[in-house]
Amino acid sequence: MPAAIPALPDLQRYTRWDQVPDTLATKTQLAEMDPPLKPGGEPVAQVLYHGNSYAPLYVRADAVPKRKATPAQRAALDRARELQHICRRCDTREEEPLGRGRHCDPCRLAVRLWTEHDTAQRAARELIANPSAVLVVVAAEADHDAPPASVAVVRLHDRHVLYAAPAGTAGSAERAAVLDQLDALTTGAAVVRESDRAPVNRYPTRLLDPADQPPHFTAVPEELLRVHPWAAVGTVYVSNLWRAWYAWTSHPTSGHPDMPWDGTLPWSRSTAADDDGRGLVELLHRIADGTEPVWDQAAWVVDGHGTPSADRD
């Protein structure tokens, strides 16, 4: 149901059409006259319609003729109406008007995916241009429950490894030294992490667990996040940027990128955090440069209609 049109203040209200005097008419009624007319003044009353909206009423005697459109204006209007049925990207003609954005359904999905793809590149470029942005990587054995094995901090701008060390065991002096280094290197920095997906043992928050056990659904206490802000969840994930850039989608009617089901990732997951970190930073640089591959079935790659506009519809 369309939104209600409220009543105009201080004007006579009619609740039924049969109450409206013949001397009054709406804009639509005036326009349907022969010759077409338009209001010659302000509304003097209003009538309720559709149960929740009011239409302004104008004095018929004050109405003036509507200016007729020139042939050129009529042609332009006809062309505009026709274009509402034609997809601006693939030129497909639809029976119903396409509305805002003027894309058919397949192209609307393509443009939506392209927008996320384009946004990911912009985000990668901003991160790389930021001299304070760093990547924090915690590497571990492939086992889902394995404790952290090593830690690294890599500066995005110049790919420089600022810190790399064994993670140590929970509660040890070695682990405490790692936490101190992470605190020092990430103070005031834009922190990027690898993934918000499994395995859990890649999360930097694992370093804060007192028993080196995967926290699963346990939230990190607020007091620890104040001391160690690099562990906060509100950071940028390389995996999310790559997913948006790669533009794989699980269903042809989905406009949202997903992680490929086959688990293929363009970066390594080993016990050497510095090596993994370099690979992740290189991936960000490839996204920023536009050299990282895109899914070969992305709509703008295979449908022959070129790169879609990144205008949001």
Side-chain angles (χ1 to χ4, degrees):
M1 179 180 293
I5 301 174
L8 296 170
D10 304 324
L11 289 184
Q12 170 71 43
R13 299 183 191 180
Y14 298 102
T15 57
R16 298 197 315 270
W17 285 98
D18 59 6
Q19 296 175 339
V20 178
D22 292 339
T23 56
L24 302 180
T26 65
K27 278 186 179 180
T28 300
Q29 290 171 331
L30 292 174
E32 290 174 347
M33 291 182 178
D34 187 17
L37 302 175
K38 65 180 181 179
E42 297 298 317
V44 296
Q46 53 202 325
V47 60
L48 181 67
Y49 72 102
H50 286 169
N52 61 350
S53 296
Y54 281 87
L57 295 168
Y58 303 85
V59 177
R60 288 177 184 260
D62 294 340
V64 296
K66 291 187 72 174
R67 187 175 62 182
K68 292 184 178 181
T70 66
Q73 289 173 328
R74 285 197 296 270
L77 289 172
D78 290 342
R79 175 60 177 163
R81 282 191 286 267
E82 174 63 16
L83 285 176
Q84 281 298 312
H85 295 265
I86 299 174
C87 176
R88 64 190 299 180
R89 179 168 176 264
C90 70
D91 291 333
T92 298
R93 193 186 191 287
E94 301 286 347
E95 289 300 319
E96 297 296 325
L98 293 172
R100 185 183 178 191
R102 225 182 76 229
H103 291 115
C104 64
D105 285 343
C107 287
R108 185 175 295 110
L109 298 176
V111 171
R112 190 175 301 160
L113 280 168
W114 169 267
T115 300
E116 296 210 32
H117 164 89
D118 183 63
T119 301
Q121 184 179 46
R122 294 173 185 270
R125 288 174 173 172
E126 289 177 5
L127 286 168
I128 288 171
N130 183 353
S132 73
V134 296
L135 171 74
V136 175
V137 180
V138 175
E141 297 285 355
D143 179 24
H144 185 77
D145 293 335
S150 61
V151 182
V153 178
V154 186
R155 190 163 55 212
L156 303 183
H157 182 67
D158 58 4
R159 305 171 173 87
H160 181 62
V161 178
L162 301 175
Y163 176 67
T169 57
S172 68
E174 190 175 21
R175 175 65 62 81
V178 167
L179 299 182
D180 288 344
Q181 282 293 323
L182 290 178
D183 293 341
L185 291 171
T186 60
T187 298
V191 177
V192 181
R193 293 180 2 199
E194 174 190 351
S195 176
D196 60 346
R197 299 171 67 91
V200 174
N201 56 31
R202 303 291 292 201
Y203 280 97
T205 50
R206 287 294 309 281
L207 297 169
L208 302 179
D209 190 81
D212 266 345
Q213 295 298 314
H216 295 299
F217 303 108
T218 303
V220 178
E222 285 294 326
E223 58 269 20
L224 281 180
L225 292 181
R226 284 193 290 269
V227 177
H228 309 295
W230 45 266
V233 295
T235 56
V236 177
Y237 296 105
V238 176
S239 62
N240 284 356
L241 294 180
W242 177 74
R243 176 175 60 187
W245 171 267
Y246 190 62
W248 184 86
T249 184
S250 58
H251 196 276
T253 61
S254 172
H256 300 285
D258 298 312
M259 282 292 196
W261 286 336
D262 62 5
T264 300
L265 297 174
W267 66 89
S268 62
R269 285 185 162 187
S270 69
T271 57
D274 53 345
D275 289 341
D276 291 355
R278 289 189 189 95
L280 287 161
V281 171
E282 288 297 335
L283 173 63
L284 283 177
H285 278 263
R286 292 197 302 272
I287 292 174
D289 295 338
T291 56
E292 174 65 19
V294 175
W295 183 40
D296 60 7
Q297 294 301 304
W300 62 87
V301 176
V302 299
D303 69 4
H305 301 304
T307 299
S309 165
D311 293 340
R312 288 163 175 76
D313 58 353

